[in-house]
Amino acid sequence: MRKELKIFDKPENIKRLLRIFYASLFALLIADFFIHKHAEFTWEADPWFFAAFGFVSCVVVIFTAKLLRVFTKRDEKYYD
Amino acid sequence: MISYLLNMGFPPGLIFIIGALFIPLLKGKIKSAFMLLLPLVAFVILVSVPDGSHWTFRLLNYDLVLGQVDRLSRVFGYIFILISFIAIIFALKAEDDLQHVAGFIYAGSALGVTFAGDLFSLYIFWEIMAVASTFLILARRTVASQAAAFRYILVHIVGGLFLLAGIILYIHNSGSLTFGFIGLSSMGSWLIFIGIAVNAAIPPLHPWLKDAYPEATATGAVFLSAFTTKSAVYVMARTFPGTELLIWLGAFMTIIPVFYAEIENDIRRVLGYSLVNQVGFMMCGVGIGTQLAINGTVSHAFCHILYKALLFMAAGSVLHVTGKIKCTQIGGLYKTMPLTCLFCLIGAASISAFPLFSGFVSKSMIISAAGHHHLVAVWLMLQFASAGVIAHAGIKVPYFTFFGHDSGIRAKEPPLNMLIAMGMAAFLCVFLGVYPQPLYDILPYPVEYVPYTGAHVVGQLQLLMFGILAFYLLLRSGYYPAEIRAINLDTDWFYRKGARHFFNLTDKGFNGINRFCDKVLARNLSASLGRFSKNAPARLTLLFIIPACFLTGKKENERAVLKKNVYAAFETASTSLGISAAAAMLFIVMLVLIK
């Protein structure tokens, strides 16, 4: 069998990846001030609207899913 | 008819369906070559056929059209043939004729639906599609897949009956068999709408999809992901464009599945929920109904078929080589399956609508159409759902499959044919994302939409990247829902458990009443009445005779003999005149008293 990849097993690579990730987030926030906006809705033109919307939406999705699990979770054999 | 077909060439759908019948007769490389040739032949025919009605037959005073070719049906025809070709490459090494035949008949009937020009042909192909696709689930040959296939076909039979009833009412009212705009107006149109909605997996009619697709074979799920829902999108786009109800159904449809996808353990079930979410965007586009929205719907269906098939192929490859596909069982597979991982990441980036990937150039058209219409709530819902997609399909699927905790599984890459199929789909996902013009050129309406503007690219990247940040922070802090071996209740509970409870309830309720009546009325009461009516005259008589015996001083043994004689006299109807007269007298007295 071919050699295994272990690129993501090395903590320094994860750190590097995270650094690139944070840098790109920062760049996206800065880029907001240098682009021409053609908004359908006024809030679309607000700086960092999409960043905030994306972050909050994902948090809401994940916490709602956790809450949903309280009511819907059943054993794997539930229907058997 | 046959000479006509030979002159004109067969309709693309029939090429698949008839071709499928020859597959079991062939072997080895000839079989592989034949299977790959069929989509190519269908494609050449579709390219060479001009717009208009073709392959028309007359049946019982109705014109049946097997080839209604226009810009809308043509683009669905192209993608159905293209994805068939890719899915066949993916399934090429599967030594199971049942799957091959079912796959071809299924794809052929989806093409039949696409090019049907009348409601009768539409219905026939619709039903063939349901039956053929069931065999792709049955072909897994497990107890769970048999049960899932059974539920799947039952749901589709019900959906088909709605469609049939609607078509009959519609034809009866309108006198037209033409498959075109219907609109929600009459009872018939509502039934047709519900019938299509079942196949489109519009909530609450959606759970058949997440129930059945994960139980299909590794290769069968790729076929399944492409045809049933997207042919329903096509039919909806032709019959109910501009229906406001669809905007709202579609918007909710994008949101509800993302919560479920987040807590689901089976990766292919996550993809099933994700499929419902994506079709929601398309339904919303059909509901908005403007040229931009319909173009968005069609292009999104086109791109979606490719990246969803790619994701199902990646998941199918993992299932094929490891035999496992649940988050709790897999993880860390990138180490030995880097290519599959790469293809999965491309599929994930496409479904998340990252710039330079196919979803970006199609989904944004639908959201923009909602914006142009100033549908504020819908626009917000679609953006929310877009962020939800990155959380489940964009990150969860590749992360828990190929990264996450190391499951210790060191599986090899899947066979070359599977890698080639995934490679083709992945290439097209990137190609359309980078250069969408060829897709835009074949859409139903002229495209003026420009996806790559600074604002759009930055806005979308912010939405996605900060969504990923939220995912990462919640995962690291332990707030992300843990991977657990469990299932989640959905609306299929109503027919999987609810129906059983209903049966038990009616059994205990109605049959309980039945049992009570049987015991009390039929057995006890009637027997008592029988005994009473048999002995009543004797007892009543004794009621008067016994006190008289006491008065006359008769002994106990004499009273017993007298009693016996009285009973015997009444049983044999040989009462003495005195007793009869006494009884008659008594009867008269009772009547007088009652009165």
Side-chain angles (χ1 to χ4, degrees):
Chain A
M1 188 186 272
R2 53 188 284 174
K3 210 179 152 192
E4 282 179 30
L5 286 177
K6 286 186 175 168
I7 184 168
F8 296 111
D9 284 0
K10 295 174 185 163
E12 66 267 26
N13 285 342
I14 301 287
K15 266 186 194 164
R16 204 170 292 158
L17 193 70
L18 280 174
R19 234 175 273 145
I20 295 169
F21 178 60
Y22 291 135
S24 59
L25 293 179
F26 184 70
L28 282 169
L29 293 179
I30 299 297
D32 231 12
F33 298 104
F34 296 97
I35 49 165
H36 169 69
K37 297 197 173 175
H38 46 96
E40 295 281 355
F41 306 107
T42 49
W43 61 72
E44 273 189 88
D46 293 343
W48 306 347
F49 166 76
F50 283 101
F53 193 90
F55 187 86
V56 172
S57 297
C58 268
V59 171
V60 170
V61 164
I62 289 167
F63 277 102
T64 312
K66 264 180 96 98
L67 183 68
L68 179 71
R69 184 179 256 181
V70 174
F71 300 103
T72 61
K73 193 182 93 171
R74 291 294 182 279
D75 187 79
E76 280 185 315
K77 305 275 178 206
Y78 176 71
Y79 284 120
D80 296 340
Chain B
M1 177 175 151
I2 289 170
S3 62
Y4 175 75
L5 280 172
L6 290 174
N7 286 337
M8 270 297 288
F10 283 84
L14 284 189
I15 295 276
F16 276 32
I17 294 172
I18 296 169
L21 305 177
F22 291 94
I23 291 172
L25 307 177
L26 303 171
K27 277 187 178 167
K29 286 184 177 167
I30 295 176
K31 178 193 271 185
S32 300
F34 177 73
M35 292 204 297
L36 291 172
L37 190 67
L38 287 175
L40 296 177
V41 173
F43 181 73
V44 170
I45 288 176
L46 181 56
V47 170
S48 58
V49 169
D51 284 2
S53 292
H54 309 283
W55 301 293
T56 309
F57 308 102
R58 195 150 182 82
L59 183 79
L60 302 173
N61 291 331
Y62 287 111
D63 286 324
L64 302 188
V65 183
L66 299 186
Q68 177 177 250
V69 183
D70 59 11
R71 290 185 71 86
L72 182 62
S73 60
R74 195 182 283 277
V75 62
F76 275 91
Y78 284 143
I79 187 59
F80 283 165
I81 292 172
L82 178 61
I83 204 63
S84 301
F85 186 68
I86 293 173
I88 289 157
I89 294 176
F90 188 73
L92 210 55
K93 292 277 171 68
E95 289 179 6
D96 184 4
D97 283 345
L98 176 69
Q99 284 191 63
H100 294 316
V101 173
F104 266 106
I105 294 179
Y106 177 41
S109 49
L111 282 167
V113 165
T114 307
F115 293 110
D118 64 280
L119 294 169
F120 181 73
S121 314
L122 171 81
Y123 177 73
I124 297 294
F125 285 118
W126 191 268
E127 290 297 307
I128 297 174
M129 201 162 65
V131 174
S133 54
T134 306
F135 283 94
L136 292 173
I137 306 160
L138 284 172
R140 183 99 176 268
R141 296 180 175 89
T142 60
V143 176
S145 75
Q146 313 288 310
F150 184 65
R151 291 190 294 273
Y152 173 87
I153 191 66
L154 282 183
V155 170
H156 284 281
I157 286 171
V158 171
L161 287 175
F162 268 96
L163 183 67
L164 179 64
I167 287 173
I168 291 169
L169 283 176
Y170 180 76
I171 295 172
H172 182 71
N173 289 338
S174 68
S176 166
L177 201 62
T178 310
F179 170 38
F181 178 79
I182 293 176
L184 273 182
S185 51
S186 61
M187 176 75 169
S189 63
W190 272 98
L191 293 175
I192 292 174
F193 183 83
I194 293 169
I196 304 168
V198 170
N199 271 27
I202 295 179
L205 308 172
H206 68 286
W208 61 265
L209 194 156
K210 66 95 198 173
D211 179 24
Y213 286 11
E215 300 300 341
T217 61
T219 52
V222 181
F223 281 91
L224 288 166
S225 74
F227 298 114
T228 302
T229 46
K230 259 61 75 187
S231 58
V233 168
Y234 162 76
V235 174
M236 209 59 116
R238 196 171 274 293
T239 49
F240 295 100
T243 301
E244 195 186 343
L245 177 64
L246 271 178
I247 301 177
W248 295 103
L249 287 175
F252 280 105
M253 196 173 166
T254 59
I255 289 178
I256 296 165
V258 298
F259 305 128
Y260 275 99
E262 216 61 69
I263 50 176
E264 181 54 56
N265 190 29
D266 187 318
I267 287 290
R268 293 203 299 174
R269 195 154 280 138
V270 175
L271 293 176
Y273 276 117
S274 156
L275 207 166
V276 176
N277 151 279
Q278 293 293 301
V279 175
F281 283 97
M282 299 170 213
M283 286 298 132
C284 202
V286 173
I288 296 168
T290 57
Q291 290 195 354
L292 177 63
I294 296 293
N295 273 345
T297 299
V298 175
S299 59
H300 199 47
F302 196 101
C303 295
H304 168 80
I305 287 173
L306 285 168
Y307 59 65
K308 184 57 74 180
L310 176 56
L311 288 166
F312 266 105
M313 283 193 280
S317 299
V318 171
L319 180 66
H320 180 76
V321 294
T322 68
K324 300 179 173 98
I325 197 59
K326 290 185 176 165
C327 293
T328 42
Q329 299 170 321
I330 54 176
L333 296 178
Y334 83 92
K335 293 175 184 178
T336 51
M337 300 177 74
L339 280 175
T340 310
C341 173
L342 176 68
F343 295 139
C344 183
L345 285 171
I346 292 173
S350 301
I351 196 171
S352 309
F354 264 97
L356 302 180
F357 293 90
S358 60
F360 180 75
V361 302
S362 56
K363 185 162 75 181
S364 52
M365 287 168 101
I366 298 171
I367 299 178
S368 292
H372 287 334
H373 252 243
H374 292 283
L375 299 165
V376 181
V378 175
W379 188 89
L380 287 170
M381 288 166 85
L382 296 185
Q383 292 287 14
F384 176 81
S386 298
V389 173
I390 185 74
H392 70 268
I395 313 175
K396 179 175 175 169
V397 170
Y399 180 78
F400 286 113
T401 310
F402 295 101
F403 306 100
H405 78 276
D406 188 348
S407 59
I409 298 171
R410 296 290 181 264
K412 275 193 243 175
E413 294 277 15
L416 185 63
N417 63 305
M418 288 184 164
L419 288 173
I420 290 173
M422 285 191 280
M424 286 174 70
F427 168 77
L428 288 167
C429 285
V430 178
F431 177 79
L432 291 173
V434 174
Y435 184 57
Q437 202 54 45
L439 172 61
Y440 286 176
D441 286 343
I442 57 170
L443 293 180
Y445 301 106
V447 178
E448 292 164 9
Y449 184 75
V450 181
Y452 286 104
T453 64
H456 187 204
V457 170
V458 171
Q460 181 70 5
L461 278 174
Q462 279 188 4
L463 186 88
L464 297 176
M465 295 295 272
F466 280 85
I468 294 174
L469 178 67
F471 181 96
Y472 170 68
L473 293 177
L474 292 175
L475 187 72
R476 215 177 68 156
S477 56
Y479 284 107
Y480 190 82
E483 308 153 66
I484 45 174
R485 291 170 56 107
I487 60 152
N488 293 292
L489 298 184
D490 202 335
T491 50
D492 55 344
W493 181 89
F494 288 99
Y495 56 81
R496 295 181 72 177
K497 272 278 191 213
R500 204 174 299 164
H501 289 320
F502 180 73
F503 176 82
N504 288 339
L505 194 74
T506 47
D507 175 44
K508 291 213 169 79
F510 292 117
N511 283 341
I513 294 171
N514 197 17
R515 277 191 292 272
F516 175 79
C517 292
D518 179 57
K519 192 178 171 189
V520 174
L521 298 179
R523 292 172 196 275
N524 292 353
L525 189 66
S526 59
S528 305
L529 277 172
R531 277 195 304 276
F532 175 75
S533 54
K534 185 182 164 194
N535 298 331
R539 279 168 181 269
L540 283 171
T541 308
L542 286 171
L543 204 66
F544 287 88
I545 288 175
I546 295 297
C549 288
F550 278 111
L551 290 176
T552 53
K554 285 202 188 264
K555 290 177 182 164
E556 192 181 341
N557 56 344
E558 286 173 323
R559 290 204 303 271
V561 173
L562 186 66
K563 257 187 187 179
K564 200 177 162 189
N565 287 343
V566 169
Y567 273 110
F570 275 99
E571 270 178 24
T572 54
S574 57
T575 47
S576 62
L577 197 63
I579 289 178
S580 296
M585 193 61 204
L586 186 67
F587 186 66
I588 292 164
V589 170
M590 279 173 70
L591 281 178
V592 171
L593 286 175
I594 290 167
K595 205 176 175 185

